[in-house]
Amino acid sequence: QLVQSGAEVKKPGESLKISCKGSGYTFTNSWIAWVRQMPGKGLEWMGIIYPDDSDTRYSPSFQGQVIISVDKSISTAYLQWSSPKASDTAMYYCARAPDDSRHFDYWGQGTLVTVSS
Amino acid sequence: QSALAQPRSVSGSPGQSVTISCTGTSSDVAPYRYVSWYQQHPDKAPKLMIYDVSKRPSGVPDRFFGSKSGNTASLTISGLQAEDEADYYCCSYAGSYTWVFGGGTKLTVL
């Protein structure tokens, strides 16, 4: 399963990092993706990382806006912002894509991020 | 990368069938057999319902059927049940380990 960190409330410009911990499978053998869902809106694919070698890909819409990283020693992937904006307020999900697959079979419970002054 | 095009809403009565379309481009849906569909109930995480165009994960009823023709994929739900009421999202692999989601379709069971 994937277990995400708790809700965050930040002021604009305060750095932010949320996490997604995998368990019950070989963490290094599956990709971990991040997906944004703004209030009342649809799912948006942000990017993905392969924990074994930290190979990371980003959607053009999110490239340069966030950083995806991983610490495979503790089976945890991260999504971080250096200077969040109010427009980053959203629910963020992590999801697993098993190696050699092209779909997301398990999802975290979501982390609600609120950025407000 | 633009979002895949889905109808905003569809509806059907219990027992009926509905089909949700998902239109992409020559860069995503068309060249790959990697379309997946996700069901999302309010305030819940998405759930995988169909992968690789037409495969069902264990536990998903065979009332859910996926297909693809050209740059358009479809999800058909037969024998509608009240618990099928949810938002549905298609997702396509777009090459180089990137993906794109559809805008989502709200299914109402009348």
Side-chain angles (χ1 to χ4, degrees), chain A:
Chain A
Q1 62 176 358
L2 299 174
V3 178
Q4 298 185 228
S5 50
E8 298 271 5
V9 179
K10 292 288 185 179
K11 289 182 167 46
E14 292 183 340
S15 64
L16 170 64
K17 192 173 189 177
I18 62 175
S19 66
C20 170
K21 183 175 176 61
S23 63
Y25 72 98
T26 303
F27 186 71
T28 50
N29 287 359
S30 295
W31 295 76
I32 296 290
W34 287 97
V35 176
R36 182 175 79 173
Q37 188 167 37
M38 299 179 76
K41 302 297 184 183
L43 305 176
E44 300 173 88
W45 188 84
M46 301 176 69
I48 199 165
I49 191 165
Y50 192 63
D52 195 39
D53 61 6
S54 296
D55 184 6
T56 308
R57 314 294 173 94
Y58 292 94
S59 161
S61 300
F62 292 94
Q63 178 86 48
Q65 307 303 309
V66 296
I67 296 173
I68 295 171
S69 60
V70 69
D71 184 341
K72 62 182 180 181
S73 70
I74 55 171
S75 301
T76 300
Y78 300 96
L79 178 66
Q80 67 181 95
W81 296 257
S82 58
S83 186
K85 304 181 286 291
S87 57
D88 294 315
T89 294
M91 180 71 80
Y92 293 87
Y93 293 101
C94 63
R96 185 186 84 155
D99 206 5
D100 295 330
S101 77
R102 299 292 183 269
H103 59 273
F104 307 108
D105 60 353
Y106 286 101
W107 293 65
Q109 81 278 19
T111 296
L112 180 62
V113 170
T114 303
V115 183
S116 174
S117 55

Side-chain angles (χ1 to χ4, degrees), chain B residues 69-87:
Chain B
S69 178
N71 66 347
T72 298
S74 298
L75 174 69
T76 298
I77 309 170
S78 60
L80 270 179
Q81 299 181 5
E83 59 261 35
D84 298 334
E85 185 162 296
D87 293 327

Side-chain angles (χ1 to χ4, degrees), chain B residues 91-108:
Chain B
C91 181
S92 177
Y93 182 66
S96 300
Y97 282 90
T98 65
W99 281 258
V100 60
F101 280 98
T105 298
K106 180 177 180 60
L107 168 62
T108 301

